[in-house]
Amino acid sequence: MRIILFSVFFISFFSNGQSNYPQDYFTNPLEVPIVLSGTFAELRSNHFHSGMDIKTQHRTGLNVVASADGYISRIKVSHWGYGKALYITHPNGYTTVYGHLSKFAPEIEAHVKKLQYEQESYEIEDFPKAGVLNVTKGSLVAYSGNTGGSGGPHLHFEIRDKEERPMNPMLFGINTADTTNPIVKSIYAFPLDDKSFINGKNSKQKLTLAPLKGGDYTTEIIDAIGNIGFGIETIDRLDLAPNSNGVYNIQSFVNGTQNYELDFKRFSFSETKHINQLIDYETYTTSKKRIQKLFKINNPLSIIKPLVNDGIVEVQDQTSMVYKIRVSDFESNSSWVTIHINGKTDSLAQAETPKVTPYFINANQTTNLKEGRVSVDFYKDTFYENFYMDFEVKNDTVKLHEDVKATKKNFKITFDVSHYNEADRSKLYIAQLIGNIQKPSYISTKKEDNLLIGSTKKLGTYTIASDTIAPTIRPANFSNEQWISNHSELKIKISDDASGISKYRATINGKWILMEYEYKNNTLTYDFSDHIINETKNNFKLIVTDNVGNNSTFEALFYRK
């Protein structure tokens, strides 16, 4: 049976995974061998990884080249996300994306700098027309870096289709060595209603996982009855790096018949948020383990192929079943998990009674909760399921359940702060209390008259916090009245420990200068090669503002020949 299943899968995999995609069209976007730290569709916080992360040998500044002929169709520079990023549209309709860059090739860099100085903003977005910035396959377009939400130097590389949906670059022949079977870290079983039980319990069960020779696994035999589902925690490791990467395909079978599949070839950005319904969200928020559910409940993800009964296994009394999971990487290295199920009604525990509160959330309706000076608006389709909400207000703090329910979109929290005096009111913001020490963490807050209005996607505990301390500013590589003729850059350290940095503005001799903000090390950098100044005596001025409007001003005099 296993040989037959493997043969069918391999033929399907090869025909669907390779022949429909051009294999020689795109080239490696770096001039070093491909070694990956991240693979396509890896499970990340609140999203799937939309490309591959190519290692740059722990360095920044490596040449990044166009993966195929085309033109620069989008340029985005941001403090967050992809940092400095390029988008190249190709004649065959695909688009490639290059993220976390340190800088652009000279012609593109000049184009970007012109826009930044015109707009007096580091963050810009531009959509050049075809013919303005043409590129050829293998031509220099940028230099690798660590900008934006990058955890270390690397190149984020994507291939998108005509509908801007990211696709696995390995489908196009951009690949690296992988001869190792995926690793299965844990298996869970889920009773899916109050009439279903696993090993006599009506609650999620972690199964004992035993490795077998050859890289496969088995679990304990389970006794079950009713509608049940399974979940898997799994990773893949490539040959040239130790990183824990995502897998390419997961299939499940009941008594030899395939009943479910997760196929990580392509997804759309509009659906990536549904990752929180694919995983067991409660397990993730409490232990950071990402258990992928092998059954579909209220999840529109296109990567899910629910072949039989949405992957739900119906276990009848006095029956025996064999449930198998096959986990595969792109090179068809596979690991199998076998679970034997006995249908038994013996020694069933009482089904767990859900906690009932006065606050019932119907996922298909808008719900407003209000107590004292706090109101919370959950809009229709904020949640995937109905449940009873824990809602409690004490003074200026509101408890909204625990962060164990996945959401589809933001909800609104409103605090009436009219009881604060006007001077204090201007320094208030809404914060989520994080961790055991309940540290306040700023959430997006608007002020309307005597109201603070926050927007967030996470349940938890929220409070009113105050920030009366202005940001700190400290020169990093110069001092007041210093000669700095040999400096190529001006560096400033800025920070704000409460509401956080909102904006900054720097000038030299009254002229706006472009300072790049790297939030990971709290550094602002000005590059003298911008040639904004040519005086010997120079007055530098920097104003930094936090999220409630406190601002600090730093001024210094420096000399330069």
Side-chain angles (χ1 to χ4, degrees):
M1 175 61 71
R2 176 172 176 175
I3 295 174
I4 294 172
L5 287 172
F6 177 84
S7 299
V8 170
F9 176 83
F10 182 80
I11 293 170
S12 172
F13 170 83
F14 185 83
S15 60
N16 294 327
Q18 300 291 342
S19 61
N20 295 333
Y21 308 95
Q23 295 300 292
D24 299 315
Y25 192 88
F26 296 106
T27 191
N28 178 1
L30 290 173
E31 295 173 342
V32 296
I34 292 179
V35 179
L36 299 182
S37 60
T39 53
F40 181 79
E42 279 181 2
L43 310 182
R44 302 285 177 89
S45 295
N46 301 311
H47 70 284
F48 296 100
H49 188 227
S50 56
M52 56 170 47
D53 287 342
I54 308 176
K55 290 178 180 267
T56 55
Q57 302 174 342
H58 307 288
R59 296 183 289 160
T60 61
L62 299 187
N63 289 347
V64 177
V65 301
S67 192
D69 293 350
Y71 70 96
I72 307 293
S73 55
R74 184 183 179 194
I75 306 169
K76 186 172 183 180
V77 179
S78 173
H79 295 135
W80 327 105
Y82 292 173
K84 296 183 180 182
L86 282 180
Y87 300 71
I88 300 176
T89 295
H90 305 282
N92 64 355
Y94 292 102
T95 297
T96 50
V97 183
Y98 313 75
H100 307 306
L101 307 169
S102 61
K103 62 187 300 185
F104 305 108
E107 181 183 5
I108 304 168
E109 183 80 4
H111 177 88
V112 171
K113 286 282 180 74
K114 181 175 183 293
L115 292 175
Q116 289 173 315
Y117 274 97
E118 286 175 352
Q119 299 176 23
E120 293 192 355
S121 174
Y122 170 72
E123 294 191 302
I124 60 108
E125 187 170 16
D126 186 44
F127 298 89
K129 295 181 179 179
V132 175
L133 293 171
N134 291 337
V135 297
T136 57
K137 185 174 185 176
S139 63
L140 178 70
V141 294
Y143 301 92
S144 67
N146 187 32
T147 56
S150 170
H154 72 278
L155 175 68
H156 174 87
F157 177 72
E158 296 179 18
I159 299 178
R160 299 183 183 179
D161 67 11
K162 294 179 182 180
E163 298 177 42
E164 284 291 304
R165 294 176 298 185
M167 305 181 68
N168 193 331
M170 292 183 180
L171 293 167
F172 300 85
I174 300 179
N175 207 348
T176 187
D178 184 359
T179 59
T180 304
N181 292 345
I183 298 168
V184 178
K185 302 180 74 173
S186 62
I187 296 290
Y188 284 75
F190 299 80
L192 300 180
D193 54 49
D194 59 4
K195 297 180 176 62
S196 301
F197 295 83
I198 298 165
N199 292 334
K201 297 180 180 179
N202 184 238
S203 57
K204 174 177 58 186
Q205 304 290 308
K206 182 178 181 180
L207 305 184
T208 301
L209 188 65
L212 303 173
K213 291 182 179 179
D216 293 338
Y217 303 82
T218 188
T219 72
E220 65 199 87
I221 298 173
I222 66 171
D223 295 335
I225 198 73
N227 295 321
I228 69 173
F230 292 90
I232 186 169
E233 181 188 13
T234 182
I235 62 169
D236 188 39
R237 286 211 170 96
L238 307 176
D239 288 2
L240 302 177
N243 302 74
S244 297
N245 299 124
V247 301
Y248 180 68
N249 186 277
I250 305 176
Q251 299 173 318
S252 62
F253 304 82
V254 177
N255 291 338
T257 299
Q258 186 179 344
N259 75 327
Y260 200 77
E261 183 174 5
L262 294 174
D263 186 18
F264 297 102
K265 286 189 179 73
R266 175 176 61 192
F267 62 86
S268 66
F269 286 107
S270 63
E271 64 178 333
T272 189
K273 61 189 176 185
H274 298 301
I275 186 175
N276 288 331
Q277 181 68 354
L278 174 68
I279 64 174
D280 180 43
Y281 188 73
E282 180 176 2
T283 297
Y284 172 66
T285 58
T286 55
S287 68
K288 298 307 177 185
K289 293 181 179 180
R290 292 187 172 97
I291 309 299
Q292 298 179 68
K293 292 184 285 192
L294 303 182
F295 54 93
K296 178 180 178 178
I297 298 178
N298 299 328
N299 197 337
L301 274 172
S302 61
I303 65 169
I304 298 175
K305 315 295 180 187
L307 301 177
V308 178
N309 199 29
D310 288 339
I312 296 170
V313 180
E314 297 180 357
V315 184
Q316 304 291 331
D317 191 25
Q318 302 300 313
T319 61
S320 295
M321 309 174 77
V322 179
Y323 182 88
K324 286 181 176 285
I325 306 169
R326 177 180 180 163
V327 186
S328 303
D329 61 28
F330 186 80
E331 296 298 333
S332 294
N333 302 302
S334 298
S335 296
W336 287 81
V337 181
T338 301
I339 305 169
H340 292 274
I341 307 168
N342 290 330
K344 285 189 177 183
T345 58
D346 298 342
S347 304
L348 300 184
Q350 187 70 28
E352 292 187 354
T353 302
K355 180 180 178 180
V356 176
T357 75
Y359 311 102
F360 181 72
I361 303 297
N362 187 325
N364 293 321
Q365 297 177 1
T366 294
T367 302
N368 173 261
L369 305 179
K370 182 173 177 60
E371 184 176 331
R373 296 186 177 93
V374 183
S375 66
V376 184
D377 292 295
F378 297 109
Y379 306 105
K380 180 181 178 181
D381 293 327
T382 296
F383 298 99
Y384 292 92
E385 59 187 23
N386 303 335
F387 67 100
Y388 287 96
M389 168 79 70
D390 284 334
F391 175 69
E392 182 181 3
V393 175
K394 290 184 178 179
N395 300 320
D396 289 331
T397 299
V398 56
K399 179 183 179 183
L400 294 172
H401 215 73
E402 301 289 341
D403 184 22
V404 295
K405 299 290 184 181
T407 60
K408 301 180 188 179
K409 56 188 178 185
N410 284 23
F411 56 89
K412 184 171 74 173
I413 306 173
T414 303
F415 285 87
D416 181 340
V417 293
S418 57
H419 55 297
Y420 287 85
N421 67 54
E422 187 172 352
D424 292 338
R425 202 181 305 151
S426 65
K427 304 303 180 185
L428 301 179
Y429 64 97
I430 301 176
Q432 183 179 15
L433 298 180
I434 303 295
N436 293 330
I437 62 172
Q438 298 286 275
K439 180 180 179 180
S441 176
Y442 174 87
I443 70 166
S444 177
T445 304
K446 294 191 303 182
K447 298 178 181 180
E448 294 183 4
D449 298 325
N450 293 325
L451 301 178
L452 293 182
I453 303 171
S455 179
T456 181
K457 288 184 72 174
K458 288 187 175 184
L459 296 174
T461 302
Y462 292 85
T463 192
I464 296 175
S466 177
D467 182 2
T468 60
I469 301 174
T472 61
I473 304 174
R474 178 175 58 85
N477 69 340
F478 72 102
S479 57
N480 189 36
E481 298 188 354
Q482 182 181 354
W483 280 89
I484 55 173
S485 300
N486 294 326
H487 286 37
S488 61
E489 297 174 328
L490 205 62
K491 289 185 177 291
I492 306 286
K493 292 283 188 179
I494 63 173
S495 64
D496 188 89
D497 293 333
S499 63
I501 301 295
S502 172
K503 59 185 178 180
Y504 59 90
R505 179 180 176 83
T507 59
I508 295 179
N509 301 331
K511 296 179 181 179
W512 183 86
I513 60 169
L514 174 65
M515 297 204 81
E516 299 192 9
Y517 177 41
E518 178 49 78
Y519 73 91
K520 295 189 289 290
N521 58 20
N522 300 316
T523 301
L524 287 171
T525 303
Y526 167 67
D527 191 333
F528 283 112
S529 66
D530 285 358
H531 301 300
I532 297 304
I533 62 171
N534 51 29
E535 292 90 346
T536 299
K537 182 179 179 180
N538 297 280
N539 292 291
F540 173 80
K541 182 177 181 179
L542 172 66
I543 302 172
V544 180
T545 306
D546 65 22
N547 278 299
V548 300
N550 298 308
N551 62 70
S552 296
T553 300
F554 172 82
E555 295 186 77
L557 181 68
F558 68 86
Y559 299 90
R560 183 176 173 83
K561 287 184 180 180

